[in-house]
Amino acid sequence: MSFKRKHLLGLEDVSAEEITHILNTAETFKEVLARPIPKVPTLRGKTIVNLFYEASTRTRFSFELAEKRLSADTLNFSTSTSSVKKGESLRDTAQNIEAMKVDMVVIRHSAPGAPHYLTQCIKGSVINAGDGCHEHPTQALLDMLTIRDKYKYLKGLRVAIIGDILHSRVARSNIYGLTTMGAEVALCAPQTMIPYEAEKWNVRIFNDVDEAIAFADIVMALRIQMERQTQNFFPTLREYHNYFGITKERLDRANKKITIMHPGPINRGIELDSDLADDDRYSVILNQVTNGVAIRMAVLYLLGGELQE
């Protein structure tokens, strides 16, 4: 199929056929990444700017590496070393950068909807690398690729997303993407961290983590995002871990094969025990990181590239 989209802003309106096409394209780039020289000229002559208004390690490095593997020219922006410190708006920053003949913009921003707004300000393609508590589409795509790598399919699998659902853009993109692909999704968190709109998402909701683990083939643990919290949603981190932490004891009680995922960074010993995060009998967390480069290469290629080999 041909990919008709100009931007990737979220997965809420992306079809199963489009998601499958992105995942299949990423598989071809995984083959490129396994070569002795893991680089192709696909985006040679294209210029991509990475506008990161929020701190990031994995996503930023993953996009930068994907762009370099596709031979694009890249510009990297951070608020601490830019005119944003002097009060420049997102619109002015983006339009000035585009005036330098930039083809694509990757943006991470604390404000939900910032990537959508940017599409009204510039002519180039926009990729959402995470906007506030809204969506993080490439993270969900790499999660789906990692699950498909292990199980060979997505339809019918049961995925429990456990943790800070309220503030998680990863949860929202995974809910949209996984349900579109036919997986069953459940959410588990303190009731204070389940968003009111969750009832509209066609997902099961648990407040007992043992019940969520018993439901699931795959457990996706989420970080408690203390930096986004403006009130107390649970008494203490120790109490949160006691009631909602993913532990080896809980997996043993469930007595079933479980796959553990986490988008990172991990609060070890809070949402996920350290020994589980590092145990490759359960954890595919580093596979997620590896797959991130292939997924971002696929998205960049489909939005702006033409194969030249």
Side-chain angles (χ1 to χ4, degrees), residues 15 22 24 46 51 98-99 101 110 120 127 169 187 189 199 204 221 224 236 251 266-267 275 297 299-300 308:
S15 69
I22 295 171
N24 291 344
K46 302 284 187 181
L51 282 181
E98 188 174 53
K101 307 303 179 185
S110 61
Q120 301 170 28
I127 299 172
R169 51 200 178 202
L187 308 179
E199 294 180 357
R204 295 185 64 171
I224 298 296
T236 65
L251 296 194
I266 303 170
N267 289 318
D275 55 348
M297 289 174 75
V299 170
L300 290 163
Q308 297 177 15

Side-chain angles (χ1 to χ4, degrees), residues 53-287:
Y53 283 77
E54 276 193 325
S56 169
T57 303
R58 289 161 202 73
T59 302
R60 180 169 181 163
F61 283 179
S62 186
F63 267 109
E64 287 183 28
L65 193 55
E67 292 154 8
K68 293 179 190 299
R69 296 297 187 233
L70 293 170
S71 303
D73 297 317
T74 62
L75 296 171
N76 294 307
F77 166 97
S78 65
T79 54
S80 61
T81 56
S82 74
S83 291
V84 172
K85 297 284 284 184
K86 303 174 184 174
E88 187 172 66
S89 68
L90 171 61
R91 180 192 182 97
D92 283 342
T93 298
Q95 288 183 332
N96 277 281
I97 290 174
E98 188 174 53
M100 301 176 199
K101 307 303 179 185
V102 166
D103 300 289
M104 306 175 75
V105 174
V106 178
I107 179 171
R108 168 173 287 207
H109 202 288
S110 61
H116 296 71
Y117 172 71
L118 201 58
T119 63
Q120 301 170 28
C121 306
I122 64 174
K123 297 176 182 176
S125 294
V126 176
I127 299 172
N128 181 1
D131 60 331
C133 302
H134 180 227
E135 281 220 45
H136 193 350
T138 56
Q139 176 68 45
L141 288 165
L142 73 86
D143 291 340
M144 286 187 277
L145 182 63
T146 305
I147 294 171
R148 202 178 72 165
D149 282 350
K150 181 164 184 175
Y151 293 89
K152 312 305 179 190
Y153 60 93
L154 293 168
K155 186 175 182 179
L157 286 172
R158 291 182 160 191
V159 182
I161 304 174
I162 301 174
D164 187 354
I165 311 295
L166 183 65
H167 301 99
S168 178
R169 51 200 178 202
V170 174
R172 283 165 177 77
S173 286
N174 266 296
I175 290 166
Y176 297 138
L178 286 166
T179 54
T180 296
M181 297 303 290
E184 294 183 58
V185 178
L187 308 179
C188 180
Q191 193 58 44
T192 51
M193 304 188 84
I194 300 287
Y196 72 90
E197 68 266 34
E199 294 180 357
K200 304 175 184 175
W201 288 341
N202 191 29
V203 296
R204 295 185 64 171
I205 297 175
F206 295 103
N207 296 124
D208 183 316
V209 72
D210 290 308
E211 291 181 5
I213 291 172
F215 160 88
D217 302 303
I218 298 131
V219 166
M220 189 177 295
L222 298 178
R223 182 175 64 92
I224 298 296
Q225 299 190 46
M226 301 299 292
E227 72 277 16
R228 298 191 195 277
Q229 296 188 14
T230 56
Q231 64 186 82
N232 294 327
F233 293 96
F234 48 84
T236 65
L237 290 175
R238 178 188 292 271
E239 187 161 336
Y240 177 86
H241 177 72
N242 289 340
Y243 282 95
F244 292 96
I246 313 301
T247 65
K248 181 67 164 50
E249 290 73 21
R250 285 198 156 106
L251 296 194
D252 288 343
R253 280 204 299 272
N255 192 28
K256 59 188 291 192
K257 291 183 178 179
I258 295 283
T259 299
I260 300 290
M261 306 181 76
H262 194 299
I266 303 170
N267 289 318
R268 290 174 180 261
I270 298 177
E271 69 265 8
L272 179 63
D273 273 357
S274 191
D275 55 348
L276 275 182
D278 298 331
D279 189 336
D280 59 13
R281 291 176 298 169
Y282 304 95
S283 174
V284 293
I285 293 170
L286 292 181
N287 304 60

